[in-house]
Amino acid sequence: MTPAAVQRLIEARGETVTLRRNAIAPFVDVALRARVNGFAPKELVADVMQGDRGVVIGNAEILAAAWPGPPKRGDRLLIDGLPFTIAAVDTRKIGDEVAGHWLVVRGQ
């Protein structure tokens, strides 16, 4: 699999969300496609809590928008207009290229 293939999968099966840096205005936003999933009860381990969501985003839109990435803990993600805080980030590479960012987000 390549980073481009990861991006194509997200675009095909994802939804539009907004990645936001800064919790207080002025915001630095980028709209991007993301795959958003809930967690099964057996996945509620360590710091993952009921109500958290797993989100996969690509890196191409972040680079294209010159957003001050990569995403980090404390950044916000707006899903259907509702704010979520990024609780964890796992940036994954294929070779030397970033394939995407696997996030755990927590609602208000």
Side-chain angles (χ1 to χ4, degrees), residues 13-89:
R13 298 186 178 181
E15 60 188 88
T16 302
V17 300
T18 300
L19 181 58
R20 173 170 286 169
R21 174 73 40 91
N22 297 336
I24 303 170
F27 302 124
V28 181
D29 291 351
V30 61
L32 44 82
R33 300 287 289 173
R35 182 73 175 137
V36 180
N37 296 303
F39 287 100
K42 67 181 180 181
E43 296 175 303
L44 301 178
V45 296
D47 291 334
V48 179
M49 300 170 35
Q50 186 173 357
D52 287 354
R53 296 184 186 184
V55 180
V56 180
I57 59 174
N59 201 52
E61 294 155 311
I62 292 170
L63 291 175
W67 192 81
K72 63 182 182 179
R73 188 177 179 164
D75 284 342
R76 306 285 277 196
L77 197 68
L78 304 176
I79 303 169
D80 291 330
L82 299 174
F84 290 81
T85 301
I86 296 176
V89 179

